[in-house]
Amino acid sequence: MNPHFQPVAPEHASRLVNHGPTVLVTSAHQGRRNVMAAAWSMPVEFTPPRIAVVIDKKTFTRELVSASGAFALCIPGAALADLTYAVGNCSGRDIDKFARYGIEARPGPALGMPLIEAGCVAWLECRLLPEPHTEEAYDTSFGEVLAAAADSRVFANGRWSFRDDNPLLHTLHHLGAGHFVVASQTIRARPL
Ligand SMILES: Cc1cc2nc3c(=O)[nH]c(=O)nc-3n(C[C@H](O)[C@H](O)[C@H](O)COP(=O)(O)O)c2cc1C
């Protein structure tokens, strides 16, 4: 357990993914667990907090999520760029990615989903919202956030704080083909 992690209030959960970080989607069902990278996720509702994430139908993740009705989004910091790319380029059908890459996870408080805190800066544990038509037609899954937490060194009081003294905690944003930019300079809009 990462001592820097603090619970995030439901009304602030959407802020965790508002800026489009690449996430690690974790899943588990009947003793099997998995993790994959996803560049495509976003908030879709405020109250209760709900998010959408694209999980290709062909993935093992999708199979576990459909079977368990749950998943978590763990948000990797810049320190996990290599790992993020790695778990996005192999399938949990073939290997246990946690064992292969030495990833430590603990069961989430709401649904028991694997939560990665070492190198990650936040997580959201979600209940899958059953949408039979959408699930058949699209790769998008919707989830309701039941619990969330973030590293207080980079997210507190509902706000990210990307600073020069916490560069490894800046979030990753995928440009494609293993290239990422990290969130860094923050600017504030002023009234015109
Ligand atoms: C940086 C990155 C971002 C990705 N984003 C997505 C995404 O948003 N949605 C998706 O379905 N797959 C995405 N992928 C591909 C999956 O992570 C990949 O298919 C993975 O191997 C699935 O693993 P699984 O079969 O163990 O579930 C991404 C891969 C990388 C490397």
Side-chain angles (χ1 to χ4, degrees), residues 5 8 16 73-76 116 120-124 149-151 155 160:
F5 269 64
V8 170
L16 294 174
L73 303 186
C74 302
I75 304 180
I116 303 165
C120 281
V121 292
W123 50 256
L124 306 93
D151 188 319
F155 185 94
W160 289 102

Side-chain angles (χ1 to χ4, degrees), residues 22-23 25 27 34-41 53-63 84-95 97 139 174-180:
T22 296
V23 299
V25 184
S27 51
N34 196 32
V35 51
M36 70 166 245
W40 293 357
S41 71
V53 58
V54 174
I55 304 173
D56 192 319
K57 286 187 208 59
K58 295 189 291 290
T59 63
F60 185 50
T61 297
R62 175 71 173 248
E63 196 179 312
T84 301
Y85 192 60
V87 299
N89 279 289
C90 58
S91 179
R93 275 199 194 88
D94 310 319
I95 52 162
K97 298 186 207 180
D139 289 326
H174 197 219
L175 299 176
H179 293 254
F180 296 93

